[in-house]
Amino acid sequence: MDGLLLDSERYMWNISMDIAAKQQGFTLTDEFHHSIMGLDKKNSIKKYYEEFGPTFDCDLFYETIEKENRKNEK
């Protein structure tokens, strides 16, 4: 945070993650969001596959997050 009272960047990142998961038919719970906090991408991907199985498309997931975050920057 940069001194603001609200950390909107993390909030928007979580929303983007939710949208990306829903696009594939999955739901990210608050518990799951908390379980991946602080993990690097490699370990986060492991958690996604453990949670959602081998049909989860991590490449599409991260592409969608980036697309959503770019939309929110405007």
Side-chain angles (χ1 to χ4, degrees), residues 1-2 4-5 12 15-16 20-21 24-25 31 33-34 36 39 45 52 57-58 62 64 66-67 70 74:
M1 286 181 40
D2 60 2
L4 296 173
L5 296 176
M12 294 311 295
I15 288 173
S16 297
Q24 296 188 54
E31 182 179 286
H33 277 292
H34 291 290
I36 61 170
L39 294 180
I45 288 171
F52 303 121
D57 185 338
C58 279
Y62 282 106
T64 303
E66 291 298 322
K67 184 174 94 177
R70 281 193 301 274
K74 296 177 182 179

Side-chain angles (χ1 to χ4, degrees), residues 18-30:
D18 290 341
I19 291 168
K22 284 180 183 169
Q23 178 180 350
Q24 296 188 54
F26 299 103
T27 301
L28 297 179
T29 63
D30 288 340

Side-chain angles (χ1 to χ4, degrees), residues 3-4 6-8 11 15 29-30 35-36 40 43-44 54-55 57 62 65 71:
L4 296 173
L6 177 63
D7 183 4
S8 59
Y11 175 75
I15 288 173
T29 63
D30 288 340
S35 76
I36 61 170
D40 61 9
N43 286 309
S44 294
T55 62
D57 185 338
Y62 282 106
I65 289 171
K71 284 192 325 190

